[in-house]
């Protein structure tokens, strides 16, 4: 099977909300030695983006999107095992989660997986995470970076609140803050005083490495 055909089958599995097929093709991707990052991006992520477009057109509904997201999650979980880690010893510690009130976790999980593959130790708090929980975990683990993802224009505000809370507690300089998520921009990151912004998971690796040097 060609790579293109494989990616097409994966997109179809996401569109058909077929977890079994998604898993089967993720395993096939490993057997065929296809770059797992490419399979995630051009197969699973492309699939969920199309689902998003169909939702906007009113052709998909929430339960179907949840099921399609499940296909993406399980595919990424399988492919994660074949993403080669760059180093054995952690190069830095990252606390990551999705902002409070936001249950979108695919992008956040992808960023976590990529950072882990780049050698970061990851403390993934999941989705809908309270600011207090981010701060508690970052203190407890002596994290270098706190990564906060937001997919909704409403929950983006939590990124600003996190920074304000760190300032209020006089610990702003203890951690670097990286923000991301579909509605987030470089301008927003600057406006709220974040240390870094990444538009996608690959870029998140570059930015996180840069932040370690600062
Ligand atoms: Co929702 N949803 N959703 N949704 N959903 C969006 C985000 C939306 C854009 C759809 C639309 O209207 N076109 C829209 C947001 C509008 C807005 O605020 N601007 C929306 C809405 C409105 C909602 C609800 C309010 C709908 C409702 O109930 N009426 C509701 C909110 C629930 C909540 O959170 N409280 C809701 C619910 C859901 C589902 C549960 C059904 C499901 C989520 C399932 C899950 O994640 N487990 C869902 C989904 C799947 C989507 C879409 C279709 C896909 C999101 C996704 O996973 N993309 C999305 C439409 C779209 O994006 N086209 C949509 C793939 C993912 C890999 O991309 O997350 O952008 P992304 O991550 C990228 C980058 O952004 C970046 O790297 C990632 C990889 O490259 N990145 C970071 C992400 N985090 C980062 C952090 C970083 C750095 C980079 O550093 C910290």
């Amino acid at each position: 099977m060609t790579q293109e055909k494989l990616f097409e089958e994966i997109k179809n599995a996401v569109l058909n909300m077929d977890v079994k097929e998604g898993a089967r093709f993720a395993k096939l991707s490993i057997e065929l030695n296809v770059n797992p990052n490419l399979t995630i991006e051009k197969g699973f992520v492309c699939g969920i983006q199309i689902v998003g477009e169909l939702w906007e057109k009113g052709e998909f509904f929430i339960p179907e999107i949840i099921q399609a997201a499940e296909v993406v999650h399980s595919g990424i979980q399988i492919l994660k095992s074949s993403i080669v880690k760059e180093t054995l010893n952690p190069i830095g510690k990252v606390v990551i989660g999705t902002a409070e009130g936001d249950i979108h976790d695919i992008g956040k999980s992808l960023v976590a997986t990529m950072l882990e593959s780049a050698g970061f130790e990851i403390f993934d708090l999941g989705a809908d995470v309270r600011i207090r929980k981010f701060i508690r975990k970052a203190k407890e683990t002596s994290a270098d970076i706190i990564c906060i993802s937001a997919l909704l224009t409403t929950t983006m505000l939590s990124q600003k609140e996190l920074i304000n809370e760190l300032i209020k507690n006089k610990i702003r300089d203890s951690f670097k803050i990286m923000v991301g998520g579909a509605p987030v921009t470089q301008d927003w990151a600057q406006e709220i005083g974040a240390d870094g912004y990444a538009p996608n998971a690959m870029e998140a690796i570059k930015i996180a490495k840069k932040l370690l040097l600062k």
Side-chain angles (χ1 to χ4, degrees):
M1 182 185 280
T2 63
Q3 276 193 21
E4 281 61 36
K5 176 78 180 141
L6 176 78
F7 301 153
E8 209 49 47
E9 294 287 2
I10 291 174
K11 270 189 266 179
N12 286 337
V14 178
L15 285 168
N16 294 329
M17 300 157 282
D18 193 332
V19 176
K20 270 193 187 162
E21 278 294 276
R24 186 165 78 84
F25 285 111
K27 286 176 193 156
L28 185 62
S29 166
I30 296 172
E31 276 170 38
L32 295 175
N33 235 346
V34 178
N35 180 331
N37 297 331
L38 262 190
T39 302
I40 290 174
E41 201 188 305
K42 298 208 180 283
F44 289 101
V45 171
C46 262
I48 197 75
Q49 278 164 350
I50 298 170
V51 166
E53 288 161 18
L54 292 172
W55 182 23
E56 281 175 36
K57 289 186 195 156
E59 290 175 33
F60 255 69
F61 299 97
I62 299 286
E64 295 165 313
I65 299 173
I66 292 175
Q67 186 64 15
E70 207 37 60
V71 181
V72 180
H73 267 304
S74 79
I76 292 175
Q77 210 47 41
I78 292 165
L79 288 160
K80 207 174 153 177
S81 63
S82 67
I83 296 177
V84 184
K85 274 199 178 183
E86 276 179 23
T87 58
L88 282 177
N89 295 324
I91 57 170
K93 291 182 192 171
V94 169
V95 166
I96 188 166
T98 307
E100 184 171 3
D102 199 326
I103 57 171
H104 296 90
D105 64 352
I106 297 176
K108 179 273 300 165
S109 301
L110 211 48
V111 172
T113 301
M114 296 311 289
L115 289 178
E116 193 178 2
S117 74
F120 285 90
E121 187 174 2
I122 303 296
F123 300 92
D124 189 344
L125 302 176
D128 187 12
V129 182
R130 288 177 157 222
I131 287 167
R132 241 181 293 148
K133 200 169 169 189
F134 275 107
I135 297 179
R136 204 184 317 131
K137 195 69 184 176
K139 278 180 170 174
E140 181 192 310
T141 57
S142 304
D144 300 289
I145 308 171
I146 303 177
C147 285
I148 175 166
S149 171
L151 264 284
L152 299 171
T153 39
T154 46
T155 58
M156 269 167 77
L157 298 173
S158 276
Q159 298 178 330
K160 185 177 178 179
E161 285 163 21
L162 170 65
I163 293 170
N164 288 345
E165 197 59 25
L166 291 172
I167 295 171
K168 204 169 111 193
N169 288 295
K170 299 190 170 51
I171 49 171
R172 173 64 186 92
D173 293 337
S174 304
F175 313 105
K176 298 287 182 217
I177 306 295
M178 177 154 75
V179 295
V184 179
T185 60
Q186 180 66 50
D187 284 350
W188 170 251
Q190 243 157 4
E191 184 186 323
I192 65 172
D195 301 293
Y197 155 75
N200 56 52
M202 288 309 284
E203 199 66 24
I205 297 179
K206 281 192 214 157
I207 303 296
K209 284 184 174 172
K210 264 192 201 163
L211 291 180
L212 282 187
L213 300 174
K214 277 194 182 171

